[in-house]
Amino acid sequence: MTPATPAPPASATRYFDVISPFSYLALGEIEDLAKSVAIAYRPILFAGLLQHWKHLGPAEIPPKRIHTYRLCVFEAQVRYPNLSHLTQPTKYLM
């Protein structure tokens, strides 16, 4: 006897930080999901969560800042190949 496949949820909540590049990059998948599932959008302040839990964000740790920038550029190039240009790194990223 095979276990029953669970039914997909009728709704989902998407928590996102409006300044996060990852929130923007995930938007395409979220819009696709919204075709079959009702999505409730809830903006959050990621910096507020970091402060509450006394953590540093990726932008506050130099190696993570560089990695995050490079990953965002890579993901943007893969997902949006028609972009005419992407921002070049500045001294603040290094």
Side-chain angles (χ1 to χ4, degrees):
M1 179 181 235
T2 53
T5 305
S11 64
T13 303
R14 178 174 190 253
Y15 296 93
F16 64 98
D17 188 340
V18 295
I19 65 168
S20 169
F22 295 107
S23 290
Y24 175 76
L25 290 172
L27 192 55
E29 286 90 1
I30 297 298
E31 289 174 342
D32 288 343
L33 180 63
K35 293 174 185 172
S36 59
V37 174
I39 306 284
Y41 295 91
R42 300 285 184 259
I44 63 168
L45 182 60
F46 183 59
L49 293 174
L50 292 172
Q51 183 179 13
H52 174 78
W53 295 106
K54 297 177 178 43
H55 284 268
L56 295 176
E60 299 171 285
I61 303 168
K64 285 188 177 184
R65 178 175 47 238
I66 293 167
H67 174 74
T68 299
Y69 172 79
R70 290 177 180 161
L71 181 60
C72 288
V73 169
F74 173 78
E75 287 292 327
Q77 289 172 335
V78 168
R79 295 170 191 238
Y80 307 102
N82 296 328
L83 286 178
S84 60
H85 71 285
L86 293 172
T87 304
Q88 294 299 312
T90 67
K91 65 180 180 177
Y92 302 106
L93 292 170
M94 302 304 168

